[in-house]
Amino acid sequence: MATAIKPNIRTYQMYINGEWVESATGKTFAVYDPSTEEAIAYVPEANAADVDRAVKAAREAFDNGPWRSTTAQERGRILFKLAERIRQETAMLAELECRNTGKPIVEAEYDIADVATCFEYYGGLATKILGYVNPVPDNALSLTMKEPIGVAGQIIPWNYPLLMAAWKLAPALAAGCTCVLKPAEQTPLTVLEMANWLADVGLPPGVVNIVTGFGETAGAPLVNHPEVDKIAFTGSAAVGKLIVKMAADTVKRVTLELGGKSPNIFFADAPFEAAIDGALFGVFVNQGEVCSAGSRILVERSIYPKFVEAMTEKAKQITLGPPLERSTKMGPLVSKEQYDRVRSYQEVGKKEAKLASGGGRPAGMKRGYYVEPTIFYDVDNSAKIAREEIFGPVAAVIPFKDEKDALRIANDTPYGLAAAVWTRDIFKAMRAVKALRAGFGWVNHMQPTYVDAPSGGYKQSGFGRELGPWGVEEYLETKQVHINLNEQPIGWYN
């Protein structure tokens, strides 16, 4: 049954075929502010019928609508207009993202700026999608053409809601695809706000459709739908595996950006103060709710005691507080479910390793899904807190003996999303970067991600790439065209 709606709280609708619509059943569900644990909005609870309606709108827009004949130049102009509108609305979007996710307002402002930059990048790239002339050994012209793949289903995580939507929408639109996007049920609000401007910037009805709902009842029908040509998913490895299995029935193209247990490696010759900052930033930014979080902190034994002590002292200075306060460096986790998950790992860690700092809920905070930035040390790489993705502010500090030992520990994980190396020795740094099995290799930094460069992982961290020219390739088909320039018969049956 539908959730009882509190007065004075906004109720959103879904965006399908250029119109705002209710769900087929009329059901809604609450969206919360994790800092207060109070509902801040209600959104439709989509089911398979709603997904089917959205997919059919996207299919019609791709097959028969004006989007099919829109030039690359016009697609680019539309993306630039959308970027401009997002920049104009930064304050509103950042505050809403902050209230919906719990991330500090300063981080949210950076995120929204990156959203606009992403649309601008692909606005420029829309006219740079090129084919080839193939030098075949015949009197013929052989061409390779790039064409949009069709209808893209896009499933977005809750940690960077609008940014992850931009990472998927922007290249898909640049390529000429149409989209059905399902935001995370916890954080759908900024994507729905952005939908208000899609028609204004020139997107025809059906090109972008947004359905709100839960994974089992809205995400699964999107993956299973026979008229969806491609699925792009960012989220947990467990759900990613289910998506691959479901997509196999209709042989969909799939790209996955999944979890990580990324090593952040500190050699003895690393710049010490920068390294301490890098260790903390790598695991505590965005409350640790980051796929590429450097949650395994590997430290060379000769600096290990000093490193753990300095990291612990600085972690105690991190300001937890209301996300809208500009002094806040760490807000609450996104939901009660995530709070319970991270708290359970804090308790597991107390049995597996030594606790340097944190380990519980901050004293004095009666409301909100807050947890302390937590550092465990003397962690064995076989421990649960070193093997499993926690997706929260929990660091596992692991000592290593030498370069070979560090690389062995770093690669001993089912994941392969990111890895960072801190050293002043460029030869050691490059040996490590080449040896690490991860999609990101950072040297003397942690977490830099740019729209110009590819994003994605090895092993169980997924496959396919987002961002840069690699991102748009994931939304393109490759067609070979052969033009015979010889007017003589083939002559096979002479």
Side-chain angles (χ1 to χ4, degrees):
M1 58 188 297
T3 309
I5 297 177
K6 298 179 182 179
N8 304 320
I9 297 179
R10 180 173 176 184
T11 299
Y12 286 80
Q13 295 176 301
M14 294 184 294
Y15 189 74
I16 297 178
N17 203 27
E19 298 178 340
W20 292 103
V21 299
E22 307 289 347
S23 65
T25 62
K27 289 183 179 180
T28 62
F29 62 93
V31 176
Y32 293 90
D33 178 338
S35 69
T36 65
E37 304 180 34
E38 295 178 351
I40 56 174
Y42 291 87
V43 298
E45 184 179 334
N47 61 15
D50 299 303
V51 171
D52 183 63
R53 179 168 41 157
V55 171
K56 282 182 164 52
R59 186 83 260 165
E60 177 65 18
F62 182 79
D63 290 343
N64 302 309
W67 192 240
R68 188 174 186 86
S69 59
T70 302
T71 65
Q73 288 85 352
E74 182 59 22
R75 293 199 300 272
R77 282 192 286 269
I78 288 169
L79 294 176
F80 280 124
K81 290 177 184 176
L82 184 55
E84 182 180 6
R85 186 63 185 270
I86 287 166
R87 291 200 188 279
Q88 291 169 354
E89 302 287 352
T90 293
M92 180 274 289
L93 290 170
E95 180 177 339
L96 188 59
E97 196 89 310
C98 175
R99 293 184 65 210
N100 196 180
T101 65
K103 68 175 62 194
I105 184 64
V106 176
E107 288 186 32
E109 289 168 349
Y110 277 110
D111 290 354
I112 302 307
D114 284 347
V115 170
T117 298
C118 184
F119 282 113
E120 287 166 346
Y121 178 88
Y122 284 105
L125 195 63
T127 55
K128 316 301 185 299
I129 298 170
L130 306 175
Y132 302 93
V133 177
N134 308 307
V136 295
D138 200 353
N139 185 17
L141 186 62
S142 178
L143 306 176
T144 298
M145 297 174 60
K146 295 288 186 177
E147 299 180 337
I149 195 169
V151 176
Q154 301 169 318
I155 302 175
I156 310 302
W158 45 255
N159 57 338
Y160 291 92
L162 193 56
L163 184 57
M164 295 294 101
W167 281 23
K168 291 172 173 55
L169 286 173
L173 296 175
C177 293
T178 58
C179 305
V180 178
L181 185 142
K182 192 198 89 64
E185 59 266 26
Q186 299 90 343
T187 56
L189 302 185
T190 48
V191 173
L192 291 171
E193 288 290 348
M194 185 183 70
N196 282 309
W197 315 318
L198 297 180
D200 294 344
V201 300
L203 278 176
V207 175
V208 172
N209 306 273
I210 299 172
V211 294
T212 54
F214 298 92
E216 298 84 352
T217 51
L222 183 59
V223 176
N224 285 323
H225 202 290
E227 293 188 74
V228 172
D229 301 298
K230 182 239 166 65
I231 292 290
F233 170 78
T234 299
S236 72
V239 175
K241 292 173 185 178
L242 292 174
I243 285 173
V244 171
K245 292 175 183 176
M246 289 189 289
D249 288 339
T250 47
V251 198
K252 285 182 176 61
R253 290 255 295 273
V254 177
T255 53
L256 303 174
E257 203 258 71
L258 306 177
K261 198 68 184 175
S262 299
N264 201 359
I265 305 169
F266 297 89
F267 289 102
D269 64 345
F272 192 79
E273 292 301 323
I276 297 300
D277 269 4
L280 295 171
F281 187 80
V283 68
F284 294 146
V285 68
N286 203 52
Q287 298 73 248
E289 296 169 320
V290 183
C291 294
S292 57
S295 53
R296 287 188 301 146
I297 299 171
L298 281 54
V299 183
E300 194 163 1
R301 287 192 182 278
S302 61
I303 62 167
Y304 184 77
K306 179 184 176 184
F307 195 99
V308 172
E309 181 181 1
M311 188 179 166
T312 300
E313 287 305 308
K314 202 155 191 177
K316 291 176 181 177
Q317 299 169 20
I318 295 173
T319 305
L320 278 72
L324 285 170
E325 291 187 5
R326 301 195 72 81
S327 60
T328 294
K329 296 296 183 184
M330 184 181 293
L333 299 177
V334 73
S335 65
K336 178 66 162 58
E337 180 184 17
Q338 189 63 16
Y339 171 83
D340 290 340
R341 173 184 171 84
V342 174
R343 287 288 292 114
S344 71
Y345 275 105
Q346 286 177 318
E347 296 307 311
V348 167
K350 292 172 186 177
K351 300 173 185 176
E352 292 186 322
K354 297 174 183 176
L355 179 65
S357 66
R361 181 182 177 88
M365 288 188 166
K366 303 301 183 185
R367 290 193 309 169
Y369 304 125
Y370 292 91
V371 298
E372 295 176 305
T374 299
I375 300 173
F376 291 105
Y377 69 106
D378 288 359
V379 179
D380 190 272
N381 198 52
S382 64
K384 188 174 182 179
I385 59 171
R387 304 301 296 177
E388 298 181 11
E389 185 179 41
I390 298 172
F391 223 67
V394 180
V397 187
I398 304 171
F400 67 85
K401 181 176 65 174
D402 54 23
E403 182 180 335
K404 181 179 179 181
D405 192 35
L407 296 174
R408 176 189 63 80
I409 295 169
N411 284 330
D412 181 15
T413 173
Y415 296 108
L417 187 54
V421 179
W422 297 74
T423 175
R424 287 189 171 93
D425 184 339
I426 189 62
F427 300 101
K428 185 190 297 181
M430 292 313 299
R431 285 196 302 270
V433 165
K434 289 183 69 175
L436 289 164
R437 298 285 296 162
F440 292 87
W442 294 313
V443 177
N444 295 333
H445 209 324
M446 188 70 197
Q447 303 295 9
T449 303
Y450 302 99
V451 68
D452 323 72
S455 172
Y458 289 17
K459 299 190 282 187
Q460 291 188 33
S461 289
F463 47 76
R465 291 295 181 267
E466 293 185 303
L467 302 183
W470 300 269
V472 80
E473 285 289 334
E474 300 287 356
Y475 291 93
L476 294 169
E477 293 281 19
T478 301
K479 176 182 288 183
Q480 186 221 117
V481 177
H482 181 92
I483 303 170
N484 184 18
L485 301 178
N486 186 350
E487 296 186 40
Q488 300 303 313
I490 294 172
W492 187 259
Y493 299 106
N494 289 347

